[in-house]
C-alpha cells in the first residue's frame, strides 16, 4: 500500500527473516529509528534443473541463466543505479525540489564489477586508439618508413594474444582476466621502445660496412643484421626483463 509501515512491524519482519544484521548498521538505535546508512539485499532464486537431468543439460541451463543475468545487469540494472548517483532519478526534479538528489547508492553483486570494468575499458577505447595513432605517427617520423612502422605496431599488438596462447598452453587455463585488456596500453608503449632501439642500431651498423663496394650485398647485410640483433637484442632484453 501507500501507508508507512510502523517501525515495530518492520523490526519484527527483519528479525523473523534474520536480515537485521544485513540491512541495518551496527549502531542502529531502535528507539529513534534514525539511520544515515541503509542496506538493501535482493536475492533471486530460480529453478534451473533437477538431479535427474544430465550434466550437459544442467550446464546448458546454468550458462543460459548467466547470460540472461549479465544482460539484465548491463541493460536494465546498472543504467538505473548509475543514473541515481548522477542525480537522474525517475520522478525527481532538482529544480522543483530545490536541491540535488541527497542520496548516494553503493552497489555490488555477481558480475557487476566485471561489467563496470568493461564499460570503463570501452570508454577508454578511443583514448587507446589515439595513443596508438600518436605512436604510429612517431614511428613513421623516426623510422622514415610507413610500411615498417605499421608492421612494427602490428607485431607489438599481436604480442597480447600470443602471450595468452602461450599461457593457456603452459598452465592449461583458458580464463581471460580483465587485467589482460589493460596490458594493451603498456605493451604499445614498451614495444615501441624496442622498435626504436632496433632501428637505431640498424642505422649504426651502416658504419661497419661504409667502405664496402656493395653495401647491399647479401654477405654485408648478414653482417649488419647479426651485429644489430646482438647489440639491440642485448639492450632490449635487459630493459624488457627488468620491466616484466
Amino acid at each position: 500500500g501507500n501507508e508507512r509501515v510502523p517501525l515495530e512491524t518492520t523490526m519484527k519482519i527483519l528479525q523473523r527473516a534474520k536480515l537485521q544484521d544485513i540491512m541495518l548498521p551496527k549502531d542502529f538505535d531502535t528507539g529513534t529509528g534514525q539511520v544515515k546508512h541503509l542496506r538493501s539485499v535482493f536475492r533471486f532464486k530460480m529453478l534451473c534443473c533437477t538431479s535427474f537431468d544430465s550434466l550437459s543439460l544442467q550446464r546448458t541451463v546454468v550458462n543460459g541463466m548467466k547470460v540472461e543475468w549479465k544482460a539484465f545487469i548491463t541493460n536494465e540494472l546498472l543504467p538505473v543505479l548509475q543514473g541515481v548517483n548522477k542525480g537522474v532519478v525517475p520522478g525527481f526534479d532538482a529544480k522543483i525540489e530545490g536541491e540535488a538528489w541527497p542520496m548516494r547508492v553503493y552497489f555490488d553483486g555477481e558480475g557487476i564489477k566485471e561489467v563496470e570494468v568493461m564499460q570503463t575499458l570501452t570508454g577508454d577505447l578511443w583514448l587507446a586508439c589515439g595513443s596508438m595513432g600518436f605512436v604510429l605517427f612517431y614511428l613513421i617520423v623516426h623510422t622514415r618508413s610507413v610500411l615498417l612502422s605499421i608492421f612494427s605496431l602490428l607485431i607489438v599488438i599481436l604480442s597480447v594474444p600470443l602471450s595468452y596462447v602461450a599461457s593457456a598452453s603452459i598452465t592449461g587455463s583458458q580464463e581471460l582476466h580483465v587485467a589482460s585488456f589493460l596490458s594493451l596500453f603498456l605493451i604499445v608503449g614498451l614495444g615501441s621502445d624496442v622498435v626504436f632501439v632496433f632501428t637505431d642500431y640498424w642505422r649504426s651498423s651502416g658504419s661497419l660496412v661504409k667502405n664496402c663496394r656493395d653495401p647491399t650485398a647479401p654477405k654485408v647485410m648478414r653482417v649488419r643484421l647479426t651485429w644489430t640483433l646482438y647489440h639491440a637484442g642485448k639492450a632490449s632484453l635487459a630493459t624488457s626483463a627488468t620491466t616484466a
Side-chain angles (χ1 to χ4, degrees):
N2 297 325
E3 297 182 359
R4 181 186 303 177
V5 178
L7 179 61
E8 294 78 7
T9 304
T10 304
M11 291 302 302
K12 289 182 179 180
I13 294 176
L14 292 176
Q15 292 175 0
R16 182 182 303 174
K18 298 180 180 180
L19 295 175
Q20 66 272 18
D21 294 335
I22 297 178
M23 299 188 64
L24 300 176
K26 295 180 180 180
D27 57 350
F28 175 71
D29 186 0
T30 57
T32 61
Q34 296 180 356
V35 293
K36 294 183 178 179
H37 307 280
L38 185 64
R39 291 189 294 265
S40 297
V41 180
F42 297 90
R43 295 173 177 173
F44 301 91
K45 294 183 179 181
M46 295 175 287
L47 178 63
C48 68
C49 43
T50 64
S51 59
F52 298 101
D53 297 327
S54 61
L55 292 177
S56 60
L57 178 60
Q58 294 180 17
R59 293 194 192 98
T60 302
V61 175
V62 171
N63 291 334
M65 295 175 67
K66 289 182 179 179
V67 172
E68 293 180 359
W69 169 251
K70 186 176 181 179
F72 168 70
I73 61 177
T74 304
N75 303 325
E76 304 291 339
L77 182 60
L78 272 181
V80 175
L81 295 176
Q82 293 171 346
V84 168
N85 289 332
K86 296 178 181 178
V88 182
V89 182
F92 180 85
D93 192 339
K95 295 181 179 179
I96 298 177
E97 299 295 336
E99 62 177 355
W101 179 251
M103 297 180 61
R104 180 167 181 82
V105 180
Y106 298 91
F107 50 88
D108 193 10
E110 178 68 26
I112 290 182
K113 185 176 296 184
E114 288 77 7
V115 174
E116 287 187 303
V117 172
M118 290 304 300
Q119 288 179 345
T120 303
L121 291 176
T122 303
D124 293 341
L125 181 61
W126 291 110
L127 296 177
C129 294
S131 65
M132 285 189 288
F134 174 77
V135 170
L136 178 61
F137 170 76
Y138 195 85
L139 282 172
I140 294 174
V141 174
H142 188 83
T143 61
R144 303 172 187 173
S145 173
V146 176
L147 187 63
L148 177 61
S149 301
I150 293 176
F151 275 96
S152 298
L153 187 60
L154 180 62
I155 292 174
V156 170
I157 297 175
L158 288 177
S159 63
V160 176
L162 177 62
S163 61
Y164 169 74
V165 173
S167 176
S169 301
I170 296 174
T171 62
S173 175
Q174 299 182 358
E175 185 177 359
L176 187 62
H177 297 279
V178 178
S180 302
F181 297 97
L182 299 175
S183 63
L184 179 62
F185 300 94
L186 298 175
I187 290 299
V188 172
L190 298 176
S192 302
D193 294 342
V194 176
V195 177
F196 297 146
V197 171
F198 271 85
T199 53
D200 289 344
Y201 270 103
W202 174 256
R203 290 173 183 171
S204 299
S205 66
S207 60
L208 301 175
V209 294
K210 60 182 180 179
N211 297 325
C212 295
R213 296 181 178 179
D214 186 8
T216 60
K219 185 176 180 180
V220 176
M221 298 299 290
R222 283 196 297 269
V223 172
R224 293 187 61 185
L225 183 60
T226 303
W227 187 89
T228 300
L229 290 176
Y230 175 76
H231 290 85
K234 184 169 62 174
S236 300
L237 178 62
T239 56
S240 301
T242 52
T243 303

